[in-house]
Amino acid sequence: RSRIAANALTALAALETARTDIVLFDLVLPGVDGYGFARLIRQREAGTRVPLVALLAHGDAEAERRCREAGIDGVLWKPVTLDGLVAVLDALCA
């Protein structure tokens, strides 16, 4: 079952109460950017086990480096394709 949150704080609250297999999020979020969102999740004990995948519209090697530093496990470039999503999920499950 999937859940959708409108912002980082709502998503963090949902992570407290729901079993989560993966968190898929945009780097551009209201209030807290995706890097900060990932760091907040990683600061929580349960967050260390949840795979994080960020959606990027623009970026380069620097954006990918910042994602890794924030604890983000995978990156998808927009527009996201089903093949791209499956490839990231396969890599996370390997």
Side-chain angles (χ1 to χ4, degrees), residues 42-89:
R42 292 300 184 221
Q43 288 172 359
R44 297 166 185 258
E45 184 176 311
T48 59
R49 297 185 305 269
V50 177
L52 305 179
V53 178
L55 303 174
L56 288 82
H58 307 291
D60 51 19
E62 174 66 14
E64 289 191 57
R65 181 192 62 76
R66 290 184 64 198
C67 285
R68 283 190 306 277
E69 287 179 354
I72 296 168
D73 303 298
V75 172
L76 285 169
W77 298 95
K78 294 178 185 177
V80 176
T81 64
L82 181 58
D83 288 341
L85 177 60
V86 169
V88 167
L89 296 176

Side-chain angles (χ1 to χ4, degrees), residues 21-39:
D21 296 317
I22 189 167
V23 178
L24 179 66
F25 59 97
D26 201 300
L27 277 185
V28 179
L29 297 169
V32 177
D33 69 15
Y35 303 113
F37 177 60
R39 286 187 186 95

